[in-house]
Amino acid sequence: MVIVTRIRREVLTLPAGQLGPDNPLPPLRPLDEVHRIDDRDRDGMPRDMARQLGYEPLRSLLPVRIRDGYDRTREPRALDALVIENDRLRATVLPGLGGRIASLLHLPTGRELLYRNPVFQPANFALNGAWYSGGIEWNVGATGHTTLSCAPLHAARVPAPDGGEMLRLWEWERLRDLPFQVDLWLPDGSDFLYVGVRVRNPHERPVPTYWWSNIAVPEECRILAPAEEVWHFSYERRLRRVPVPSYDGIDRTCPLNSPYAADYFYEVPEGRRRWIAALDTDGHGLVQTSTDALRGRKLFVWGHLPGGRRWQEWLTEPGTGGYCEIQAGLARTQLEHVRLEPENEVSWLEAYGPLDAPPEGEWTRAVQGAEQRLESALPRARVEEAYAAWRPCADTDPGEILAAGSGWGALEVLRADWKLPGTPFPESTLGAEQAPWRELLRTGSLPEARRVRPPGETLVAPHWRDMLETAPASPHTEYHLGVAQWHAGDRAQAVRSWERGLELAPSLWPLLRCLAVADQESGHHERAAERYADAFDDLCRERRDDGETWTAAVAALGRETLRALLTVRRTADARTVWDRLLPAVRARGRFRLLEAELLLAEGRTAEARAVFDAGFEVADLREGEEALGRLWARLTDEPLPDRYDFRMRPDAV
């Protein structure tokens, strides 16, 4: 048989915002995650679901950094892409942006099966900040959009089960310290893209695991899945079991019928084939199916009220149409984590392709009709056979390297001497970020920075913390040790480490900032404000230039310092900090919002209102954040202007 599947490089040019630098301050505060529920909702849940809802939810982003340096100034930018295609489908993958499938084109009909975002616009939806909408994304780690949303993955050609080529993507997920891989291939003549996924636990302890494949599709459709009930979750943080397709008199399977943003997790019966489809009014659309390990299915909608519409515009180009998401995951809901046993793995096969079926009419009949069409186009047995054929190929060493990810996996493999067939993390991928930790591993000592600059990332896993505890106690080491101890929950010892570091540190502000956060978390807000003010003063003295790295540090620390000072009503000191910020930083939307709050605290209400009237955009506005509406309500009784309306729940201000 002649194999016609092709993998090639391509450059995708889009209007794109700039990602910018990461926030250099370690994220010490508890995770700001909206997907949490009221404990009363646990009553009546299936036992396994209730157990997994409470199984080691993520408490911290460490060792990952927050990505908040992006903007909303879109200019044409070239994005590296990898294209895999046969004579039926063409998938366009962005290896430098989480390995997302940006487009899945059905060649015979010319139909795009996904919602293809015409722009690249980072927004604050990932666990660590920067995320973008559209296509198919691979969410690994913990509840929420992965920290790898805008990060590069390793990519390579690999022999496929049918003798052709696969595109392999792989990386080291740092929140849970797990390697994973995604293998994409198109059998000759197939209308379906096959995706083999494997998540491995090389540790000698069980690890909580999370996976959801999120598929953006145009929202003018009906969503079909084999279920009679869903678990409904909204931004009121309630999880309730409700019937499908309708409750409260509204058919929720049509995304535009829901008023507010919401999640609908389908209760697919045991033994039933796992699938979900999005079909337009003509009966055309996309179907996703999988082997049974990927048990969950979900619909996410933005809703038709102004807040949801504003988010749609925020994430794409106004006038280009909205989207919803259909999703597939390891558990019933995204609020759960699954236990992965020591030195074990979980794997499955997904398939994506076109489906033509009548979407309207009585629910059971519509679902049965779509399921029959799916079985005709791609029998369930064929998916199982493809999975069985792929499993031996999952360990095949990659061939030509097509893209490079991070060096963190290489550092972990070097430390533990793990053997991970199929997903190599060679020492050649180690870079400047890993260099000091490689030196700690080699010599037992963490090297001091060769030049004055903000501290690098801190590794916080127990084995790295142990090495820091036995390393020579330099100020630099005490700083990183304190961060690792804080992450482990030993806050008193973390404070002692930071205080010891202060005694001899040439650079005080990183340690003072950590101590200020510790003060805030323990309720000592006056002392926190004082330490923040001292830290910001020290940073301004130490700053060497107005380049990207130092500007990011001043902006990050300045923002936290302003908030701390305003909390204790030290408005004069807050004004002094504001005046020392660079003009370009003061012009950012997040700082315009802070300026309005500062003006209001100073009693200059009209000037604070004028900031809103002049207009600004908070590029890193967080999902579910209500700061804009709350401050507006303190300024006026007038309705919140549409441009500032991002409300995602009924009782938001």
Side-chain angles (χ1 to χ4, degrees), residues 86-147:
N86 62 7
D87 58 346
R88 309 290 295 177
L89 282 177
R90 178 186 300 146
T92 302
V93 181
L94 303 178
L97 294 169
R100 186 170 306 200
I101 299 178
S103 169
L104 187 61
L105 186 66
H106 188 235
L107 298 174
T109 61
R111 291 205 304 266
E112 174 60 61
L113 301 181
L114 306 174
Y115 170 76
R116 181 171 185 170
N117 199 331
V119 304
F120 170 68
Q121 178 55 64
N124 194 357
F125 278 75
L127 284 165
N128 63 332
W131 172 88
Y132 61 106
S133 65
I136 305 172
E137 57 176 306
W138 319 112
N139 287 296
V140 59
T143 297
H145 293 282
T146 177
T147 61

Side-chain angles (χ1 to χ4, degrees), residues 341-390:
E341 297 299 334
E343 300 177 341
N344 212 323
E345 64 182 50
V346 60
S347 64
W348 61 90
L349 184 87
E350 304 181 47
Y352 297 81
L355 185 70
D356 294 315
E360 304 302 332
E362 192 270 330
W363 173 252
T364 301
R365 185 176 298 110
V367 169
Q368 288 176 346
E371 195 163 43
Q372 290 169 0
R373 295 287 183 92
L374 172 60
E375 184 65 19
S376 176
L378 183 66
R380 186 177 186 180
R382 190 182 302 168
V383 175
E384 297 289 345
E385 291 165 1
Y387 172 67
W390 167 72

Side-chain angles (χ1 to χ4, degrees), residues 55 227 419:
Y55 178 48
K419 309 301 179 188

Side-chain angles (χ1 to χ4, degrees), residues 23-25 65 449 451-457 476 479-480 507 509-510 539 542-544 548-554:
N23 188 320
L25 306 182
R65 284 190 162 177
R451 58 189 175 89
V452 178
R453 61 182 177 182
E457 297 185 53
H476 187 56
Y479 163 79
H480 286 291
S507 179
W509 67 268
L539 172 57
E542 183 176 280
R543 185 177 67 196
R544 292 299 187 262
E548 186 178 78
T549 300
W550 285 106
T551 298
V554 173

Side-chain angles (χ1 to χ4, degrees), residues 433-509:
E433 294 173 313
Q434 294 82 39
W437 300 96
R438 186 182 188 184
E439 185 71 8
L440 175 64
L441 185 62
R442 188 178 66 85
T443 67
S445 178
L446 193 68
E448 293 293 317
R450 295 180 179 177
R451 58 189 175 89
V452 178
R453 61 182 177 182
E457 297 185 53
T458 303
L459 297 184
V460 297
H463 42 266
W464 292 108
R465 189 174 71 248
D466 290 345
M467 282 185 262
L468 288 169
E469 287 176 346
T470 58
S474 69
H476 187 56
T477 300
E478 295 285 11
Y479 163 79
H480 286 291
L481 175 58
V483 174
Q485 290 166 333
W486 182 271
H487 176 265
D490 192 351
R491 296 192 168 187
Q493 190 58 56
V495 168
R496 285 193 287 271
S497 295
W498 292 326
E499 288 175 340
R500 283 196 306 268
L502 270 179
E503 295 173 6
L504 296 174
S507 179
L508 302 179
W509 67 268

Side-chain angles (χ1 to χ4, degrees), residues 15 47 60 62 70 91 98 102 146 156 324 338 388 427 436 441 553 597 640 645:
R47 186 174 301 174
S60 168
L62 288 166
Y70 50 87
T146 177
C324 63
V338 177
E427 287 190 46
L441 185 62
E597 188 172 351
L640 183 66
D645 189 353

Side-chain angles (χ1 to χ4, degrees), residues 520 525 528-529 532 559-569:
Q520 285 181 325
H525 295 289
Y532 262 121
R559 174 174 164 181
E560 291 188 9
T561 303
L562 282 166
R563 290 239 50 87
L565 291 168
L566 288 172
T567 296
V568 297
R569 297 181 174 85

